[in-house]
Amino acid sequence: MNQTDPKALQHGEREGRFSSSLFDWSESIAFSLIIVVVVFTFLFRMISVAGSSMVPTLHDHDMMIVSNLGYAPNRGDVVVVNKPSTQYGSIVKRIIAVGGDTVDINFATGDVMVNGEVLDEPYINEPTYTAEGMAFPLTVPEGQLFLMGDNRNGSSDSRDPQIGLVDEHYIIGHVLGVVFPFSSFGGV
């Protein structure tokens, strides 16, 4: 007569359930990590602001969520671009004009005009008094962008010939919002 020890059977069942549960948890964690990597590689990116050129909208070291999924550039959008011909690397700026627009800046009054209309810019730190070397009025060719920082007199942007007009292909993404620090959390 062959009898199985009930305690040994119970211990074996518990061990089997434990290893099965552990495998399920590991599988769930691995799957979740893969999803996070795919989402933040192809759909969204986390990028940190470097510098003060976008004050008061963005501040140094703000962590932003950026996406390029189905994005078409529009005036007023805040974008991250990487123009390889400059020393600046990736920069965060606001789109002031797109292809076909004419930009003019009155440095005496600080007004920025697009297609003859003065922009209403409640987001800027101060009016635009600093010229950086570009000649105005300037008509933006198709496929190009004219970008400016919100901290107009403390920003290197499309007014600077080293940056100049930026090809739309250099857009890394459009800024959706700030996620860190939590005190700045929200859309842009």
Side-chain angles (χ1 to χ4, degrees):
M1 180 164 171
N2 188 5
Q3 288 189 332
T4 308
D5 181 10
K7 286 185 178 182
L9 185 60
Q10 247 181 349
H11 179 69
E13 285 177 8
R14 268 190 264 144
E15 202 173 272
R17 280 187 290 205
F18 175 75
S19 64
S20 175
S21 178
L22 186 61
F23 177 76
D24 289 344
W25 274 101
S26 328
E27 190 177 58
S28 296
I29 290 170
F31 182 72
S32 297
L33 287 173
I34 290 170
I35 294 296
V36 167
V37 167
V38 167
V39 165
F40 282 102
T41 301
F42 298 108
L43 303 178
F44 302 101
R45 291 183 182 179
M46 299 283 287
I47 297 177
S48 179
V49 175
S52 61
S53 72
M54 284 300 292
V55 167
T57 306
L58 298 167
H59 297 88
D60 194 26
H61 302 297
D62 279 357
M63 192 62 105
M64 310 169 292
I65 291 185
V66 175
S67 178
N68 200 16
L69 186 64
Y71 176 68
N74 294 303
R75 276 184 233 112
D77 289 350
V78 178
V79 293
V80 178
V81 296
N82 189 13
K83 187 173 181 182
S85 64
T86 69
Q87 65 189 13
Y88 300 103
S90 295
I91 56 174
V92 182
K93 303 293 176 195
R94 187 175 299 273
I95 297 175
I96 300 302
V98 296
D101 289 340
T102 299
V103 179
D104 200 2
I105 302 175
N106 182 333
F107 294 104
T109 63
D111 292 330
V112 176
M113 292 152 282
V114 175
N115 301 326
E117 293 184 31
V118 175
L119 296 180
D120 177 27
E121 299 182 294
Y123 46 78
I124 64 173
N125 196 36
E126 58 190 355
T128 309
Y129 298 120
T130 305
E132 297 285 329
M134 293 290 275
F136 293 96
L138 171 72
T139 299
V140 180
E142 290 299 325
Q144 301 280 310
L145 302 169
F146 185 86
L147 309 173
M148 293 178 81
D150 290 354
N151 185 9
R152 295 293 164 79
N153 301 310
S155 173
S156 292
D157 49 41
S158 290
R159 293 171 291 163
D160 182 343
Q162 285 189 328
I163 295 177
L165 299 173
V166 177
D167 193 293
E168 291 179 5
H169 292 100
Y170 294 137
I171 295 175
I172 292 172
H174 129 259
V175 178
L176 301 174
V178 175
V179 294
F180 188 81
F182 298 119
S183 60
S184 297
F185 185 85
V188 173

